[in-house]
């Protein structure tokens, strides 16, 4: 039994009250060696408590650092986590549902940047679902910025997995960071290319074509890429809008659902892309949130975004509890500059 007296106390109902609080706590607990006790896990969600993807993240973290864990059960709203020493290795974990592979990867990878050698991490589950960044987002948007910050990382999409079947697979290769480079990302430069990627599996290709045509009617001409996957990888459908700038690439996406018109899927992705594109900010809402932890590790970093979400502010609060950093937010016209104070 882990003694609560030695644990950092965290409230999982703070702010947006979702799984990001748990994921960030796991990452930083491993990195800093700080035990934590969390209550009211995912209190802000329709199904509170630990789901399969959260349990997989906990199990993966436990494997990486030999942690002592109490409360890692389906539906549990409390968790006690006492980390050990981070160990390099070749790790494999299966979520067993369409729970997000990308979110599990983002939980464990930061710890492996402090391991004693190179590592691989293979996760099976969902790679493209509505409640998490798609695998393409990690590969095209997140990974290049990490590499700029000194991280050795290569993420490969081995197989697509859609909600509700899952069955997708991601492989990440990484190594210890020897020298962090602060990220200064206040401007993005002029738009070089905008494209649409329509993916279908067990769904007519015409659906993706309609989505891309609809998106182009709102965003202007788009380079189109149609991916028709084997039906064994579905059923599933996702539309991704890729905006490429000199300093950053953004990926905005929307997933198809049974009974949801292709035009509605396109409107969601194109609307997010248009709001980001028109803002002039360097990074979008979701990328901003996912840069916070590496930014805190690198130090002296900043970026501009166009949405100061509750998700982002809650994530900042958790990071500040584990690391001797503090975040500063400054409104600049339609943008917000996020920096380390």
């Amino acid at each position: 039994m882990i003694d609560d007296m030695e644990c950092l106390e965290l409230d999982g109902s703070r702010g947006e009250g979702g799984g990001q609080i748990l994921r960030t706590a796991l990452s930083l607990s491993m990195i800093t060696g700080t035990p934590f006790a969390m209550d009211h896990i995912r209190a802000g969600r329709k199904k509170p408590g630990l789901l399969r993807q959260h349990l997989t993240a906990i199990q993966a973290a436990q494997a990486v650092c030999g942690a002592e864990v109490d409360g890692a059960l389906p539906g549990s709203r409390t968790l006690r986590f006492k980390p050990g020493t981070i160990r390099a290795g070749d790790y494999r974990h299966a979520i067993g549902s369409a729970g997000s592979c990308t979110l599990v990867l983002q939980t464990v990878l930061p710890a492996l940047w402090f391991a004693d050698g190179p590592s691989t991490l293979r996760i099976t589950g969902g790679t493209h679902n509505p409640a998490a960044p798609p695998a393409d987002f990690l590969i095209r948007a997140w990974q290049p910025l990490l590499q700029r910050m000194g991280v050795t990382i290569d993420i490969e999409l081995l197989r697509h997995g859609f909600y509700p079947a899952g069955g997708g697979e991601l492989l990440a290769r990484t190594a210890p960071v020897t020298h962090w480079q602060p990220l200064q990302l206040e401007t993005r430069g002029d738009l070089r290319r905008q494209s649409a990627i329509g993916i279908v599996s067990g769904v007519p290709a015409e659906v993706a074509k309609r989505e891309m045509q609809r998106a182009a009617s709102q965003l202007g001409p788009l380079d189109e890429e149609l991916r028709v996957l084997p039906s064994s990888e579905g059923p599933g459908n996702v539309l991704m809008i890729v905006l490429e700038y000199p300093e950053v690439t953004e990926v905005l996406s929307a997933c198809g659902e049974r009974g949801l018109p292709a035009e509605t899927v396109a409107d969601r992705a194109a609307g997010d892309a248009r709001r980001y594109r028109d803002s002039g900010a360097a990074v979008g809402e979701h990328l901003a949130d996912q840069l916070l932890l590496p930014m805190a590790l690198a130090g002296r970093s900043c970026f501009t975004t166009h949405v100061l979400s509750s998700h982002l502010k809650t994530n900042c609060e958790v990071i500040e509890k584990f690391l001797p950093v503090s975040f500063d937010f400054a409104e600049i016209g339609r943008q917000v500059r996020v920096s380390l104070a």
Side-chain angles (χ1 to χ4, degrees):
M1 182 67 68
I2 300 172
D3 185 356
D4 282 359
M5 293 295 291
E6 63 184 39
C7 291
L8 177 63
E9 298 286 340
L10 299 173
D11 183 353
S13 68
R14 288 281 298 168
E16 53 90 28
Q20 184 63 60
I21 300 173
L22 172 65
R23 291 189 293 271
T24 298
L26 288 169
S27 299
L28 290 177
S29 175
M30 289 187 283
I31 290 170
T32 64
T34 305
F36 72 87
M38 184 177 296
D39 297 313
H40 314 298
I41 294 173
R42 300 183 66 254
R45 296 296 184 256
K46 290 182 180 179
K47 292 183 178 179
L50 297 173
L51 301 180
R52 284 187 179 181
Q53 73 179 38
H54 309 107
L55 290 170
T56 304
I58 294 166
Q59 291 161 2
Q62 185 177 22
V64 163
C65 72
E68 296 179 39
V69 180
D70 292 333
L73 300 168
S76 174
R77 302 190 192 187
T78 64
L79 182 74
R80 305 294 182 265
F81 186 89
K82 183 178 181 180
T85 302
I86 298 170
R87 299 169 298 205
D90 298 311
Y91 297 98
R92 291 172 175 257
H93 297 278
I95 297 173
S97 71
S100 174
C101 293
T102 60
L103 295 179
V104 175
L105 277 181
Q106 287 184 314
T107 302
V108 180
L109 279 174
L112 294 175
W113 303 336
F114 295 84
D116 54 356
S119 298
T120 62
L121 182 60
R122 189 183 295 258
I123 309 292
T124 58
T127 61
H128 296 76
N129 63 37
D136 300 75
F137 174 92
L138 262 63
I139 294 167
R140 290 173 176 250
W142 189 64
Q143 177 173 270
L145 295 178
L146 292 179
Q147 292 169 338
R148 192 186 306 181
M149 298 173 76
V151 177
T152 299
I153 184 171
D154 177 49
I155 301 172
E156 185 178 356
L157 173 58
L158 301 179
R159 176 186 167 92
H160 294 72
F162 300 94
Y163 179 85
E169 188 170 16
L170 287 181
L171 172 64
R173 302 175 182 88
T174 194
V177 177
T178 57
H179 183 67
W180 286 97
Q181 296 286 345
L183 181 68
Q184 303 291 326
L185 193 55
E186 299 192 59
T187 59
R188 65 194 188 198
D190 296 330
L191 182 64
R192 287 178 169 173
R193 183 185 183 210
Q194 58 179 17
S195 56
I197 302 172
I199 305 176
V200 290
S201 174
V203 174
E206 185 62 28
V207 171
K209 294 178 182 178
R210 284 166 50 200
E211 291 170 349
M212 291 189 287
Q213 291 169 0
R214 175 80 167 202
S217 72
Q218 299 181 39
L219 297 171
L222 297 167
D223 294 334
E224 296 184 1
E225 178 186 339
L226 174 64
R227 296 184 197 166
V228 180
L229 306 176
S231 58
S232 60
E233 296 193 26
N237 162 237
V238 63
L239 174 67
M240 296 180 290
I241 307 298
V242 182
L243 303 175
E244 299 178 31
Y245 298 89
E247 296 297 321
V248 66
T249 295
E250 263 290 4
V251 179
L252 299 307
S253 63
C255 290
E257 301 172 26
R258 185 181 297 276
L260 188 67
E263 289 72 22
T264 302
V265 175
D267 289 348
R268 290 176 179 175
D272 288 344
R274 187 176 60 252
R275 283 185 288 274
Y276 163 69
R277 189 182 66 180
D278 294 349
S279 74
V283 303
E285 176 182 354
H286 302 300
L287 183 54
D289 193 44
Q290 290 153 7
L291 287 175
L292 293 173
L293 196 154
M295 172 178 167
L297 296 173
R300 305 190 311 280
S301 298
C302 66
F303 59 76
T304 57
T305 186
H306 64 110
V307 179
L308 189 61
S309 66
S310 171
H311 205 275
L312 183 146
K313 290 188 285 187
T314 303
N315 204 8
C316 288
E317 289 180 11
V318 178
I319 293 170
E320 289 172 346
K321 289 182 180 296
F322 282 93
L323 297 175
V325 300
S326 94
F327 290 92
D328 182 69
F329 312 107
E331 293 188 13
I332 307 172
R334 299 169 59 188
Q335 302 175 20
V336 178
R337 182 178 186 268
V338 181
S339 61
L340 291 171

